[in-house]
Amino acid sequence: MGQFDPDMMAHIKFNEFVENLRDLDDETRFEYILDLAKKHRDDPFPETDMSAKHEMHGCQAKVWIIHSRKEGRNYFRGHSNAAIVNGLVTMMTDSFSGWADEDIADLTIDHVRQLNLGSLTIQRQVGMMAMLKYMKKLSLDKVA
Amino acid sequence: MTVNAAALTKSEQMPPAFDVERVRADFPILEENIHGNPLVFLDSAASAQKPRAVLNAMRYLYEHEYANVHRGIYYLSEVATNRFEAARTTVARFLNARHDHEVIFTRNATEAINLVAASWGRAFLQPGDEIIVSEMEHHANIVPWQMLRDEKGLVLKVAPISDEGVLRMDAFEALLGPRTRLVAMTHMSNVLGTVTPARDIVARAHAVGAKVLLDGTQAATHNVIDVQDIGCDFYAITGHKLYGPTGIGALWAREEILDAMPPYMGGGEMIDKVTFEKSTFAPLPNKFEAGTPAIAEAIGFAAAIDYINDHGMAAIAAHEQDVLTYANQRLATVEGLRIIGTAPGKASVISMVADFAHAYDIAMVIDREGVAVRTGNHCAQPLMARLGVDSTVRASLGMYNRRQDIDALVKSLEKVRRIFG
């Protein structure tokens, strides 16, 4: 067994999404995103956090993202009032939770492309990039 | 909506039987498949598709007749100038303007409204003067007036609408007063489909000495427009919603008003004589058309109007009303769906919200069925706030839509309900 690598562990969720989405056709990928949104029904996003303070702009639907830090790592939770966006924001926040500041700072559109969202990427790239940018900002703000 | 029989072209007086299948055959994009399904295009209120007649007119110009317009002493420039000015005549007739030079080409209706704000507004409005808009304006008919208000110390008042989306004329009347200088109002809401009572608005505004600007962006697409009969002072339209190209629109205003207005932008085309000490300006319409205009786009715009006239606007409107009525009936069968905007006499825009899915989810799912609609606030955030919604799904009709498109929309909405309901 190799040495425990906290960065590698933190990136497991992102790699899992990349792996899961790799060979899906558009229809199945779409259902996968919706399932992600439904998963969070059991652990709902706090209503008190659906506030202007946590709302990000750049998507047609409302999107809220909250951020916390633990042991120098970034943790995100997100929610949207639109189901598909909820799935996408869940994927983004789950993917990059646990990442170190420098890894969050290095996030680019390539990470979104790696998720292989197919036609969803083309349609929602602007929104996904807005989420990425917002998460980077939250990380930076907390650092400051 | 006002119709002046004398203004109608021959084809409008005797419209041929409207054949939607023949119309559809003229729009090549309607043959496209989207995500493996035939395209059902229900977003004409954002931008209409283009018939071959428009594409061909622009291509022919570029291939055979293109040169810069005005003052070129050679054959091609003369031909292009003639085509360009003929396009102005076509637009003028389309609106039943008294003179061709009352039509100023702009990039779009937004620029037409901004032209009025920047030129007429700056020149003639004084601190404390009042402008009235309605609750159902597009941002393009709000923001220019806010900017002018802040610059000049004006007062911007808002005429309310009813829950059905009807302009409340009693409340509008109450806002009018001796300081009202301009009523800037949509002629048809891009969200609700409400057609405003233009002649009544004009009569009441003129009674207090106010001028009236009508945003005809949507109205001109679905109805015969006669600016003389309406009696307004300014009328703004855009080409791309009228089956023409993007980048071309028009401001119509009465000659005496345009004559009194200072130029909007400085540059070539709009001048008479220039020295370093002073410039004098060209007469109408060039005074307001600085720089090389959108030549091919103007010609494409005219081709679109010719195409509309060939079918007859009255016949197009009747066809669209038939599809709209059918849509209202069919959409009423979708459980949990609510139509926003039910004003009597409304035209071809259907805004919807659903209790089973967010507008964004609806649009995403039905896009996969090939159905193209628009979601969001439709550049009308104050109206959304008034309606208490953050987003609607908007299906909008053009002359090429048919009942089958509505069937496809309803079928796809039922699929959304199965997924999210």
Side-chain angles (χ1 to χ4, degrees):
Chain A
M1 294 291 286
Q3 198 179 356
F4 174 75
D5 180 346
D7 286 328
M8 196 176 78
M9 290 302 289
H11 293 207
I12 277 180
K13 195 68 191 171
F14 173 69
N15 292 330
E16 188 183 304
F17 281 130
V18 171
E19 188 64 28
N20 288 348
L21 287 160
R22 178 171 293 153
D23 298 319
L24 300 186
D25 60 34
D26 250 13
E27 201 59 42
T28 319
R29 193 180 290 116
F30 191 69
E31 287 166 11
Y32 184 90
I33 303 288
L34 283 179
D35 282 344
L36 271 180
K38 287 174 186 165
K39 193 184 75 173
H40 275 234
R41 282 179 183 172
D42 301 333
D43 179 20
F45 189 84
E47 275 196 35
T48 49
D49 287 331
M50 294 180 204
S51 62
K53 182 183 171 191
H54 299 298
E55 187 176 346
M56 61 152 280
H57 300 282
C59 294
Q60 280 192 20
K62 284 185 182 295
V63 174
W64 301 273
I65 297 178
I66 51 178
H67 171 258
S68 60
R69 293 177 67 79
K70 194 176 170 186
E71 295 170 0
R73 292 184 179 274
N74 296 274
Y75 293 88
F76 303 96
R77 280 203 69 185
H79 183 70
S80 173
N81 63 343
I84 295 164
V85 181
N86 202 15
L88 292 172
V89 73
T90 297
M91 178 181 290
M92 296 289 277
T93 51
D94 283 4
S95 284
F96 305 124
S97 277
W99 285 37
D101 291 338
E102 56 271 25
D103 289 342
I104 295 288
D106 286 343
L107 284 175
T108 68
I109 192 170
D110 285 339
H111 290 88
V112 174
R113 288 190 180 131
Q114 279 184 59
L115 287 167
N116 190 29
L117 294 169
S119 63
L120 280 170
T121 309
I122 300 164
Q123 290 169 288
R124 304 284 69 95
Q125 191 155 294
V126 173
M128 300 283 278
M129 284 310 297
M131 282 183 212
L132 210 59
K133 197 172 167 187
Y134 187 68
M135 289 164 69
K136 289 170 85 164
K137 180 180 178 299
L138 287 174
S139 170
L140 278 173
D141 285 353
K142 288 282 181 176
V143 170
Chain B
M1 188 64 61
T2 54
V3 178
N4 182 342
L8 302 182
T9 64
K10 187 179 174 186
S11 61
E12 281 162 343
Q13 288 166 356
M14 296 182 293
F18 189 84
D19 182 349
V20 70
E21 297 304 328
R22 190 163 66 90
V23 167
R24 290 178 65 82
D26 291 334
F27 288 79
I29 203 167
L30 298 179
E31 294 167 14
E32 291 293 312
N33 280 316
I34 307 295
H35 303 308
N37 294 298
L39 170 63
V40 175
F41 190 76
L42 292 168
D43 195 24
S44 296
S47 197
Q49 299 297 349
K50 321 303 174 197
R52 276 195 190 84
V54 170
L55 310 178
N56 291 345
M58 295 175 74
R59 173 183 284 267
Y60 190 86
L61 176 85
Y62 278 128
E63 288 183 348
H64 301 286
E65 298 177 331
Y66 182 75
N68 206 340
V69 294
H70 302 146
R71 294 182 306 281
I73 312 298
Y74 59 93
Y75 175 79
L76 278 182
S77 183
E78 278 189 24
V79 171
T81 301
N82 289 341
R83 294 268 185 271
F84 182 73
E85 290 305 325
R88 192 187 310 277
T89 303
T90 300
V91 176
R93 287 185 181 160
F94 181 70
L95 298 172
N96 195 32
R98 183 172 285 119
H99 307 290
D100 292 357
H101 57 252
E102 291 177 332
V103 170
I104 311 298
F105 280 126
T106 58
R107 279 183 299 160
N108 43 43
T110 298
E111 188 181 45
I113 295 168
N114 275 274
L115 192 166
V116 177
S119 171
W120 180 84
R122 280 198 185 125
F124 297 110
L125 297 186
Q126 305 300 326
D129 283 347
E130 296 169 1
I131 296 173
I132 299 175
V133 298
S134 83
E135 278 185 318
M136 56 184 159
E137 300 306 319
H138 189 283
H139 295 161
N141 201 28
I142 300 173
V143 181
W145 309 118
Q146 284 178 330
M147 291 163 67
L148 190 66
R149 174 198 63 190
D150 296 344
E151 180 185 322
K152 303 275 294 184
L154 309 176
V155 177
L156 185 61
K157 293 183 170 181
V158 183
I161 58 169
S162 70
D163 291 342
E164 293 73 32
V166 178
L167 181 67
R168 286 181 46 202
M169 291 302 285
D170 54 339
F172 166 62
E173 175 97 43
L175 294 177
L176 291 165
R179 295 304 302 266
T180 310
R181 299 297 308 279
L182 179 72
V183 173
M185 197 82 73
T186 184
H187 197 181
M188 176 185 153
S189 163
N190 69 313
V191 177
L192 305 172
T194 302
V195 178
T196 53
R199 287 177 67 181
D200 197 1
I201 290 166
V202 169
R204 297 188 197 207
H206 281 179
V208 298
K211 297 217 169 346
V212 177
L213 176 145
L214 292 174
D215 175 0
T217 303
Q218 300 292 337
T221 307
H222 304 290
N223 297 279
V224 176
I225 302 299
D226 181 339
V227 290
Q228 293 188 64
D229 185 56
I230 293 170
C232 57
D233 302 286
F234 305 98
Y235 201 92
I237 60 172
T238 194
H240 71 99
K241 295 189 205 293
L242 272 163
Y243 311 99
T246 54
I248 189 74
L251 170 71
W252 168 86
R254 281 189 284 113
E255 181 183 38
E256 60 271 27
I257 297 174
L258 288 171
D259 270 336
M261 285 164 55
Y264 166 52
M265 294 194 296
E269 300 273 354
M270 54 76 72
I271 49 85
D272 172 37
K273 187 172 171 62
V274 176
T275 66
F276 281 114
E277 288 71 38
K278 185 186 175 186
S279 297
T280 55
F281 306 117
L284 295 175
N286 305 66
K287 181 169 81 168
F288 293 105
E289 294 180 358
T292 296
I295 302 164
E297 288 76 8
I299 286 159
F301 187 12
I305 291 173
D306 286 341
Y307 182 81
I308 289 168
N309 288 338
D310 284 346
H311 292 276
M313 183 57 97
I316 292 168
H319 166 73
E320 289 176 350
Q321 278 297 322
D322 173 72
V323 180
L324 179 65
T325 303
Y326 182 72
N328 285 331
Q329 290 166 355
R330 293 282 283 120
L331 290 166
T333 67
V334 180
E335 198 180 323
L337 192 75
R338 180 164 64 95
I339 292 177
I340 306 267
T342 52
K346 69 173 277 189
S348 310
V349 172
I350 310 158
S351 269
M352 300 165 271
V353 292
D355 63 11
F356 51 83
H358 189 275
Y360 183 95
D361 291 324
I362 293 174
M364 283 283 286
V365 172
I366 71 177
D367 169 60
R368 305 175 76 76
E369 306 296 307
V371 180
V373 294
R374 190 148 295 257
T375 59
N377 59 51
H378 315 294
C379 294
Q381 289 178 16
L383 176 59
M384 292 287 127
R386 163 65 180 83
L387 298 169
V389 295
D390 66 349
S391 182
T392 72
V393 176
R394 184 186 70 184
S396 54
L397 306 174
M399 63 190 295
Y400 34 65
N401 288 117
R402 52 188 175 171
R403 290 183 172 206
Q404 292 97 309
D405 295 335
I406 303 304
D407 292 336
L409 171 65
V410 169
K411 188 180 169 192
S412 66
L413 287 169
E414 290 291 3
K415 181 176 180 181
V416 176
R417 203 162 62 85
R418 283 198 300 278
I419 293 172
F420 297 102

